[in-house]
Amino acid sequence: MQLIDIAVNLTHPSLAAQAEALLERAYAAGVCQLVLTGTSLTESEASLALCRQLDARGGRLFSTAGVHPHDASSWNGASSAALKALLSEPQVRAVGECGLDFDRDFSPRPAQEKALEEQLALAAELQIPVFLHEREASQRLLEILRDYRDRLPAAVVHCFTGERRALYAYLDLDLHIGITGWVCDERRGTHLHSLLKDIPGERLMLETDAPFLLPRSLRPKPKSGRNEPAYLVEVLREVALHRGQSAEQLASSTTACARAFFALPTILDDASPEC
């Protein structure tokens, strides 16, 4: 059983310091490939550097490159060219994390929209998938995406936590959906349980968003309180339960979906018990 974690913030200080051990635990758990998240130009460069450093043979670590809405104020006239250079690297498989966050509004909304639209235009030009962030902004995100969707090869709403109306609207635009350990949170994630069956298998992917969103159903709980890719198995278990599938069935479909979306190679070696 192989899994792919489509969102790992491996440049986060709490993970970067133990990256090699963390990856070994992930591979042993069956998480054979990981997509490292770029949230700014600097972090995107750092994610790419980790791919090169920790995956010398290639095939296991990939990354995204983009500017998160929290950092949209940093987007300027030189950003598009700098991002385009990053996207030319073979390990970089998607534009993002980009999108809109009207929950925290760390960057002004006009700046968020400008950064998003320029990144979508770049993705359309280069024919690269898009890795999207959205909080409390589904309607505006949909309005912007509709102008670009026909020119984009694919796009995923990462860490989906919204309601039925938003989910159906995203699916109507032929978007992929990423599910995290939010679904394991008995305080705020139970509304997702009834929605999981509505996501077509060929558009559903799994992610940890580590070190964030530690699955609250995980037993035993790690003393660190920090999430990591090895815990993707718990997200798999919870999602399979509410979709009425076996873990093996869900692992197969979500892995196939992620490989197709990010154009990842198939892992055939036996470097770990599962992979």
Side-chain angles (χ1 to χ4, degrees), residues 103 137 141 250:
D103 179 36
L141 179 62
L250 184 61

Side-chain angles (χ1 to χ4, degrees), residues 4-263:
I4 296 174
D5 190 344
I6 70 162
V8 183
N9 297 285
L10 196 58
T11 60
H12 192 278
S14 67
L15 299 186
Q18 55 160 330
E20 291 188 28
L22 178 149
L23 290 174
E24 287 304 315
R25 291 193 293 271
Y27 300 150
V31 183
C32 295
Q33 290 168 304
L34 303 89
V35 181
L36 312 187
T37 307
T39 55
S40 67
L41 292 175
T42 299
E43 291 300 310
S44 296
E45 290 171 355
S47 292
L48 175 59
L50 284 176
C51 289
R52 293 168 171 163
Q53 174 190 340
L54 300 172
D55 187 26
R57 290 187 299 167
R60 291 191 180 276
L61 300 183
F62 300 88
S63 68
T64 70
V67 175
H68 192 286
H70 289 346
D71 293 299
S73 295
S74 69
W75 188 269
N76 57 44
S79 298
S80 185
L83 180 56
K84 188 173 184 177
L86 277 168
L87 294 168
S88 70
E89 298 293 338
Q91 296 96 334
V92 180
R93 298 302 174 97
V95 176
E97 181 176 355
C98 59
L100 300 175
D101 194 310
F102 293 173
D103 179 36
R104 295 186 176 181
D105 284 314
F106 287 161
S107 285
R109 294 182 182 184
Q112 293 186 42
E113 293 183 11
K114 176 180 173 61
L116 171 60
E117 291 192 22
E118 293 197 19
Q119 289 177 88
L120 291 175
L122 194 54
E125 175 191 343
L126 300 176
Q127 286 297 286
I128 296 176
V130 182
F131 188 82
L132 293 164
H133 172 103
E134 180 267 309
R135 288 290 178 274
E136 302 297 331
S138 61
Q139 187 59 42
R140 186 62 184 131
L141 179 62
L142 286 161
E143 291 169 357
I144 292 173
L145 281 174
R146 287 191 185 103
D147 291 336
Y148 293 89
R149 182 64 189 94
D150 289 346
R151 292 178 281 150
L152 297 172
V156 58
V157 179
H158 129 80
C159 188
F160 177 77
T161 60
E163 303 294 337
R164 185 178 302 273
R165 179 179 296 181
L167 175 63
Y168 283 11
Y170 290 145
L171 293 176
D172 284 346
L173 269 186
D174 196 28
L175 303 184
H176 288 65
I177 304 295
I179 297 293
T180 64
W182 195 286
V183 76
C184 304
D185 190 329
E186 79 287 355
R187 305 164 304 172
R188 58 184 181 173
T190 56
H191 72 284
L192 293 173
H193 297 172
S194 63
L195 300 181
L196 292 171
K197 287 185 178 180
D198 297 337
I199 305 172
E202 68 273 14
R203 283 195 267 163
L204 173 62
M205 294 184 278
L206 303 180
E207 48 180 310
T208 59
D209 204 24
F212 313 113
L213 300 178
L214 175 72
R216 285 176 56 86
S217 56
L218 186 67
R219 298 291 185 275
K221 291 184 181 295
K223 293 180 180 179
S224 68
R226 181 178 59 243
N227 200 8
E228 64 174 80
Y231 303 149
L232 189 64
V233 176
E234 181 63 13
V235 179
L236 172 76
R237 185 199 65 76
E238 189 76 12
V239 174
L241 172 66
H242 296 290
R243 281 176 65 86
Q245 291 181 280
S246 70
E248 290 76 14
Q249 288 172 326
L250 184 61
S252 177
S253 65
T254 55
T255 294
C257 180
R259 285 206 173 119
F261 184 93
F262 292 102

